[in-house]
Amino acid sequence: MNIRKTTEKDIQLVMQIFAKAREIMRESGNFKQWPVGYPSEKAVIADIKNNNSYVVENEKNTIVATFAFIIGPDPTYSYIEGGKWLNDEKYGTIHRIASSGEYKGIMNIVLDYCSKFVANIRIDTHEDNSIMRHLLAKNGFKYCGTIYLLDGNPRLAFQKIIVNRENKNVFLE
């Protein structure tokens, strides 16, 4: 598998992956997260322009997953209710991660990639997203509390501190 920056040529495939992910969410009982039209094409274009949008390609260079990865403060993470972040160090946030559902292990691939750039990874999800909550627990994320999106909707917030082989946090500027 290969990860690369998303280009505008990829937008329609990315939107198809979001639609498939939405379908998978509904099949698992998650009816509230990602209503039709979210994530929007406009959001993907903004992520591309901000160099935050990525795609995961299989061995045939077919896009099988997408995500946004943003290093630096996330305004919706400045307040956390019912808990606290594991630390206040520099972090990266994974948003809008979605897969076509054809391959297992996408979360591991994305985490391996993101951990090359920052040792603290934060992510949030809807309380009804049992698939994501399972993947986060499986990958060593710790529940930290509840954050609120800009529209006021609550999300369960998680963090993982990546430790390298020498048991030191790794930060790349």
Side-chain angles (χ1 to χ4, degrees), residues 137-155:
K138 181 179 170 184
N139 283 283
F141 278 81
K142 304 294 183 209
Y143 173 71
C144 295
T146 301
I147 59 102
Y148 292 88
L149 303 178
L150 295 176
D151 66 7
N153 283 313
R155 291 293 182 266

Side-chain angles (χ1 to χ4, degrees), residues 20-106:
K20 181 62 178 174
R22 191 178 301 107
E23 182 181 309
I24 292 168
M25 285 183 200
R26 301 305 178 259
E27 290 170 359
S28 71
N30 181 0
F31 295 99
K32 297 177 185 171
Q33 189 177 5
W34 287 17
V36 174
Y38 183 89
S40 69
E41 191 171 309
K42 183 178 178 181
V44 175
I45 291 169
D47 285 340
I48 291 169
K49 288 183 178 178
N50 291 322
N51 290 312
N52 296 328
S53 184
Y54 299 84
V55 292
V56 181
E57 297 176 318
N58 67 12
E59 60 284 345
K60 296 178 183 176
N61 296 322
T62 301
I63 297 172
V64 298
T66 185
F67 64 100
F69 182 58
I70 303 147
I71 297 174
D74 183 319
T76 62
Y77 287 12
S78 62
Y79 171 75
I80 188 164
E81 184 175 273
K84 65 179 186 172
W85 295 112
L86 301 179
N87 62 34
D88 293 323
E89 303 296 322
K90 180 178 177 181
Y91 64 91
T93 306
I94 298 171
H95 284 298
R96 295 177 291 286
I97 185 167
S99 165
S100 65
E102 300 170 67
Y103 293 88
K104 295 208 180 284
I106 295 295

Side-chain angles (χ1 to χ4, degrees), residues 77 80 83-92 118-122 142 144 158-163 169-171:
Y77 287 12
I80 188 164
K84 65 179 186 172
W85 295 112
L86 301 179
N87 62 34
D88 293 323
E89 303 296 322
K90 180 178 177 181
Y91 64 91
V118 67
N120 283 291
I121 310 267
R122 294 182 182 180
K142 304 294 183 209
C144 295
F158 299 83
Q159 182 176 0
K160 179 175 181 167
I161 299 172
I162 310 291
V163 180
N169 287 338
V170 178
F171 293 95

